[in-house]
Amino acid sequence: MANVAKKVSWSGRDRDEEDEPPAAGEATPLLNGAGPGTAGGPPHSRPVSEWGRLPAGALLWGNVFADLTPDLCFPQETEATNQFPSEIPHNEKLLSLKYESLDYDNCENQLFLEEERRINHTAFRTVEIKRWVICAMIGILTGLVACFIDIVVEKLAGLKFRVVKDNIDKFTEKGGLSFSLLLWAILNSSVVMVGSVIVAFIEPVAAGSGIPQIKCYLNGVKVPHVVRLKTLLIKVCGVILSVVGGLAVGKEGPMIHSGAVIAAGISQGRSTSLKRDFKIFEYFRRDTEKRDFVSAGAAAGVSAAFGAPVGGVLFSLEEGASFWNQFLTWRIFFASMISTFTLNSILSFYHGNPWDLSSPGLINFGRFDSEVFSCFPSFLLAGGILGAIFNALNYWLTMFRIRYIHRPCLQVIEAMLVAAVTAAVGFVMIYCSSDCQPLQGDSVAYPLQLFCADGEYNSMATAFFNTPEKSVVSLFHNPPGSYNPMTLGMFTLMYFFLACWTYGLTVSAGVFIPSLLIGAAWGRLFGISLAYLTSGAIWADPGKYALMGAAAQLGGIVRMTLSLTVIMMEATGNVTYGFPIMLALMTAKIVGDYFVEGLYDMHIQLQSVPFLHWEAPVTSHSLTAREVMSAPVTCLRRIEKVGTVVDILSDTSSNHNGFPVVESSPDPTQVGRPLASRLILRSQLIVLLKHKVFVERANLTLVQRRLKLKDFRDAYPRFPPIQSIHVSQDERECMMDLTEFMNPSPYTVPQEASLPRVFKLFRALGLRHLVVVDNHNEVVGLVTRKDLARYRLGKEGLEELSLAQT
């Protein structure tokens, strides 16, 4: 039984000291209930039915200091009778408390409104110009990174294949091909070991394609380290080594993550990792603006990978961005065009064809003619079924890794093992294959003759002894007769399991190209088989069926529809194939969704991320805001004692990130009236404490230091922890006036509002906290991301996930 505390995660380590407190907005209770206080809720809180299903108030808002009782909007009424278990098995019905939320709703406090009022028309136009400049820089840098990856992979992979090819050719005549197998396996394992070590020990969040992490970021979840400069460096180096190491991976998926990191860094005008501030773009240092630029970076990554700028925009809209507007569409399209143009220009010069612009993306499917073909609907179901099988196998494999392969050293060993097995399988398949084809010019990059006659090459080697991108293109465009059915069948079977085993390793790698390669193989096999079954009648070029199979397989795994249709159309350069590709993707999605979720959604779920989908569960209308909210809440007075604020922020058993602000009561024995018109964040309070924005007790009218929004933006996004701020005993007796800094108009809902209505408001506006009020407009609780993400539609109806400090 695995301890959840040891669960492998995207971040792979404890958060930095400079990061904000854990828990997505909201609070970080101890899993074992070791807090000094009691946990309780208002009279309407649900009873504790089992250890994993606790009332939100008990889990998220309990354990508050006893001397802070006057500041509670509700007193604690019940004792916690159940202790949190110290060790529980990981399963898909957990929700992690370690993820913070991002605040995509601007805090319209006095400082913000004063700054906005000072911006005239000229300043507004300047800000708009800066947005376009940033998008152009995102496109240029993303294109440059893609060029670097492509050129380095081509050089290193070419060197490896030439060394292995010369060795195989040498020992084919002398005997002793086992040495060639050993050389191939050692080269693969050595390269992959380096790529896995830098990911596992330096930046674990750089593992995989990064698409699930970027989806979560754009959804409003702060995944630690996901858009750091160090993550970009490890991602680029890791994906190069993964592809060169011969794994069943592609370099296109990680470009989306790379573009997002570039966008996040450029838009802030500084590097917190390098501690360099260029004093530019300070206006965009907030979650809302940063999110929009990250959307542009993700689109630029897709554009650089596939040469599909329109597909990049649609990918960002369909798979990434949770919030959208018309102006953002144009800027993202501009960034995508700049990205593909930069890549195209540089690679054209590199390949000796200046301004030919024949390399729009990292992978070029080549041109397809407009030949019409039929009978493709008969195999469209295969994409959804095979995609569902792939996802189901990868699900159980990921669960095994989470429970048993969570140590970095074990993760590196597994990656080396997969690399060696991939080389061994490829060598054995090539060795046992008797599919010899005549060699025609330079159509094959690294032809292996092996036991074929002079002037012939081993066809199986075309698929295995090459980079996955070139193997896909060969399956698309090699003439009929280049592969026999046995070669394609065996390759499809073996590569399917290799790709399934590979995805989820602690290496930087994508699943786009392996999926396309698997689908292209069985699609071409279908085309050949169709010709055999119809007595040699040629329905269409087998390469066309390979294209349809590739689209169906990729759609069955990742469940993309609109964006993938356009990406495939742009990559093939022929709009004629739009309808069959669309039909293949829609069928694959419908069939696949009947069995299991898409691969990215599945991995988001396995990481216990509080991800909010577009709509609330369809059977959740019976729940109201009163039943799902977190209560009681910790409130602050408009003029609060510094010591009280420090104690609240320092209480590790109640790391709340949002505090309703109440009206101060003239009678110290009376609780202030908790009006639902004010809210202040932990990060704002920390900045106030850091800059000593205090008022002396004896003179509340004393002019305090005037803060500006720049002070808050300078601290963004790594606000210092409360432990790093020193407050003397005398300063603890001072007061803090929160009037200028709190949000005077947070969004509120009545406690009778249904869960779908609360969900729609929370999701559409990108909120971090949603205040719940009663009929007297008094605060009765807060709705946070985890309060909504806890409810999910399962096989047996609406179910509530368990909360754990994973």
Side-chain angles (χ1 to χ4, degrees):
M1 186 172 294
N3 191 336
V4 171
K6 296 181 180 179
K7 177 193 165 199
V8 73
S9 67
W10 285 334
S11 63
R13 57 168 59 90
D14 294 333
R15 66 181 54 239
D16 290 349
E17 293 181 357
E18 58 197 346
D19 286 341
E20 291 187 58
E26 315 18 318
T28 312
L30 300 177
L31 184 60
N32 59 8
T38 60
H44 55 258
S45 291
R46 296 179 303 283
V48 177
S49 59
E50 57 183 278
W51 65 263
R53 302 182 65 178
L54 298 169
L59 194 54
L60 292 178
W61 296 97
N63 299 331
V64 186
F65 289 132
D67 59 352
L68 299 180
T69 301
D71 296 326
L72 290 178
C73 293
F74 276 101
Q76 296 175 314
E77 300 180 5
T78 59
E79 292 288 336
T81 57
N82 291 50
Q83 292 292 320
F84 298 130
S86 59
E87 184 172 320
I88 59 176
H90 175 75
N91 58 69
E92 71 280 7
K93 295 185 179 181
L94 287 180
L95 198 63
S96 176
L97 289 169
K98 75 173 184 178
Y99 293 107
E100 279 189 59
S101 290
L102 296 166
D103 198 348
Y104 290 157
D105 177 46
N106 289 325
C107 175
E108 295 188 348
N109 54 21
Q110 291 184 20
L111 296 182
F112 177 82
L113 294 177
E114 288 174 5
E115 180 183 83
E116 291 297 312
R117 293 189 186 107
R118 287 196 301 267
I119 297 180
N120 55 27
H121 181 71
T122 303
F124 175 78
R125 295 297 297 271
T126 302
V127 170
E128 281 299 303
I129 292 174
K130 287 181 179 179
R131 287 194 175 99
W132 287 93
V133 170
I134 291 173
C135 288
M137 296 173 65
I138 291 170
I140 292 172
L141 290 179
T142 303
L144 291 175
V145 169
C147 289
F148 175 78
I149 292 175
D150 188 62
I151 293 172
V152 175
V153 166
E154 180 182 341
K155 293 294 185 182
L156 295 181
L159 177 62
K160 185 194 76 169
F161 286 130
R162 284 193 296 271
V163 170
V164 176
K165 179 182 182 302
D166 293 342
N167 192 271
I168 291 177
D169 292 341
K170 174 183 176 181
F171 283 99
T172 300
E173 299 177 359
K174 295 182 179 180
L177 281 172
S178 57
F179 182 79
S180 300
L181 169 59
L182 186 62
L183 175 65
W184 193 358
I186 289 176
L187 285 176
N188 277 15
S189 297
S190 301
V191 173
V192 170
M193 179 189 69
V194 178
S196 182
V197 165
I198 62 176
V199 171
F201 289 95
I202 299 179
E203 196 54 87
V205 78
S209 66
I211 296 177
Q213 293 93 319
I214 296 303
K215 284 187 64 173
C216 291
Y217 182 90
L218 295 175
N219 187 261
V221 181
K222 183 179 180 181
V223 180
H225 304 251
V226 70
V227 288
R228 297 275 183 90
L229 175 62
K230 184 168 67 172
T231 303
L232 175 64
L233 297 177
I234 300 301
K235 194 82 177 184
V236 171
C237 296
V239 72
I240 291 173
L241 295 170
S242 299
V243 176
V244 173
L247 293 176
V249 299
K251 59 180 182 288
E252 284 69 22
M255 278 306 306
I256 298 169
H257 190 182
S258 301
V261 178
I262 291 170
I266 292 297
S267 64
Q268 302 304 290
R270 67 178 177 185
S271 171
T272 50
S273 299
L274 300 178
K275 294 179 172 58
R276 293 292 302 275
D277 192 340
F278 301 99
K279 305 298 182 181
I280 57 175
F281 307 143
E282 295 179 351
Y283 182 81
F284 306 117
R285 293 177 185 176
R286 50 185 171 180
D287 288 341
T288 310
E289 298 285 352
K290 193 173 181 180
R291 171 202 67 205
D292 291 345
F293 290 117
V294 169
S295 299
V302 174
S303 181
F306 296 97
V310 178
V313 175
L314 293 177
F315 173 86
S316 190
L317 173 61
E318 180 183 12
E319 289 293 312
S322 303
F323 315 95
W324 203 262
N325 61 63
Q326 184 179 4
F327 297 106
L328 182 61
T329 304
W330 277 107
R331 290 198 297 269
I332 289 180
F333 182 62
F334 177 67
S336 298
M337 290 296 297
I338 294 293
S339 176
T340 191
F341 180 78
T342 302
L343 175 74
N344 210 341
S345 302
I346 295 178
L347 289 185
S348 296
F349 275 93
Y350 173 75
H351 293 303
N353 303 311
W355 305 114
D356 180 52
L357 303 183
S358 57
S359 303
L362 293 182
I363 182 172
N364 186 0
F365 291 164
R367 296 290 176 178
F368 286 80
D369 57 40
S370 299
E371 175 188 3
V372 179
F373 61 100
S374 56
C375 287
F376 65 88
S378 58
F379 75 100
L380 292 183
L381 294 177
I385 295 173
L386 290 177
I389 294 173
F390 185 100
N391 291 356
L393 291 176
N394 191 262
Y395 171 86
W396 294 111
L397 183 60
T398 304
M399 287 293 296
F400 178 84
R401 284 176 174 141
I402 288 174
R403 293 183 176 181
Y404 302 109
I405 312 180
H406 46 74
R407 297 180 183 275
C409 56
L410 295 178
Q411 295 168 347
V412 173
I413 292 174
E414 185 196 15
M416 294 175 62
L417 175 63
V418 174
V421 170
T422 301
V425 168
F427 185 88
V428 171
M429 295 285 287
I430 295 171
Y431 182 85
C432 297
S433 174
S434 58
D435 185 7
C436 296
Q437 301 292 336
L439 186 60
Q440 300 176 354
D442 298 328
S443 59
V444 182
Y446 309 102
L448 285 181
Q449 182 178 357
L450 213 57
F451 302 114
C452 295
D454 291 341
E456 295 182 341
Y457 70 97
N458 190 300
S459 184
M460 181 69 78
T462 308
F464 268 113
F465 199 69
N466 218 331
T467 58
E469 290 84 359
K470 293 182 179 178
S471 297
V472 171
V473 175
S474 67
L475 286 170
F476 284 167
H477 294 288
N478 279 9
S482 299
Y483 303 90
N484 66 35
M486 182 60 70
T487 298
L488 293 174
M490 293 301 297
F491 174 79
T492 300
L493 181 65
M494 299 308 299
Y495 206 82
F496 181 90
F497 289 106
L498 287 175
C500 185
W501 189 12
T502 302
Y503 190 79
L505 291 177
T506 311
V507 295
S508 297
V511 76
F512 271 63
I513 299 303
S515 303
L516 292 173
L517 184 52
I518 296 168
W522 64 254
R524 190 176 182 105
L525 175 62
F526 177 85
I528 296 174
S529 303
L530 187 63
Y532 281 144
L533 294 175
T534 55
S535 302
I538 302 299
W539 293 84
D541 185 341
K544 310 301 189 301
Y545 288 99
L547 176 64
M548 293 300 109
Q553 182 66 51
L554 181 55
I557 291 177
V558 301
R559 310 292 162 75
M560 293 161 54
T561 51
L562 176 62
S563 58
L564 189 54
T565 300
V566 177
I567 288 173
M568 298 290 286
M569 287 170 52
E570 290 185 279
T572 56
N574 194 327
V575 72
T576 306
Y577 296 100
F579 178 72
I581 290 174
M582 179 190 69
L583 188 58
L585 291 173
M586 289 180 59
T587 307
K589 176 176 174 56
I590 293 171
V591 174
D593 285 342
Y594 180 79
F595 297 102
V596 294
E597 288 183 302
L599 188 65
Y600 298 143
D601 292 331
M602 187 183 70
H603 276 264
I604 290 174
Q605 178 181 312
L606 285 174
Q607 291 295 337
S608 304
V609 179
F611 187 88
L612 297 181
H613 295 279
W614 287 105
E615 299 288 343
V618 293
T619 60
S620 60
H621 282 84
S622 59
L623 294 174
T624 62
R626 180 178 58 186
E627 296 173 285
V628 303
M629 68 184 184
S630 300
V633 295
T634 302
C635 298
L636 296 173
R637 299 182 180 91
R638 187 175 59 83
I639 299 178
E640 187 60 87
K641 189 176 179 182
V642 172
T644 301
V645 174
V646 172
D647 290 340
I648 291 177
L649 298 183
S650 302
D651 184 9
T652 57
S653 63
S654 58
N655 274 334
H656 313 329
N657 281 305
F659 303 91
V661 180
V662 303
E663 291 292 340
S664 300
S665 174
D667 186 353
T669 62
Q670 298 293 324
V671 180
R673 190 184 181 196
L675 295 176
S677 57
R678 296 154 177 83
L679 185 73
I680 194 164
L681 300 179
R682 169 184 288 267
S683 58
Q684 295 173 310
L685 293 172
I686 287 179
V687 173
L688 297 181
L689 291 173
K690 178 182 177 181
H691 290 278
K692 311 293 184 182
V693 186
F694 306 151
V695 180
E696 292 182 359
R697 288 177 297 166
N699 184 12
L700 292 180
T701 61
L702 182 68
V703 178
Q704 56 188 351
R705 179 188 170 187
R706 177 71 174 177
L707 285 188
K708 298 181 179 180
L709 275 183
K710 183 180 184 301
D711 296 302
F712 295 89
R713 289 168 179 164
D714 288 342
Y716 175 85
R718 304 188 200 178
F719 296 97
I722 184 62
Q723 292 78 9
S724 66
I725 298 176
H726 175 70
V727 178
S728 66
Q729 192 61 38
D730 290 338
E731 290 174 333
R732 288 179 60 90
E733 301 302 320
C734 294
M735 307 297 290
M736 292 177 62
D737 189 350
L738 308 179
T739 305
E740 282 188 295
F741 315 103
M742 62 189 179
N743 186 354
S745 56
Y747 291 99
T748 62
V749 292
Q751 59 185 353
E752 293 82 11
S754 66
L755 175 59
R757 192 171 186 84
V758 173
F759 190 99
K760 185 177 297 184
L761 180 64
F762 195 97
R763 178 71 164 75
L765 297 175
L767 304 181
R768 187 175 187 178
H769 304 92
L770 183 59
V771 181
V772 182
V773 298
D774 60 12
N775 296 332
H776 302 288
N777 200 35
E778 295 184 354
V779 179
V780 294
L782 283 178
V783 174
T784 65
R785 170 173 292 270
K786 294 185 183 66
D787 296 328
L788 300 177
R790 282 187 301 129
Y791 296 94
R792 190 181 66 187
L793 187 62
K795 296 180 180 179
E796 300 179 357
L798 190 66
E799 58 185 16
E800 186 177 353
L801 304 183
S802 305
L803 298 172
Q805 187 66 46
T806 58

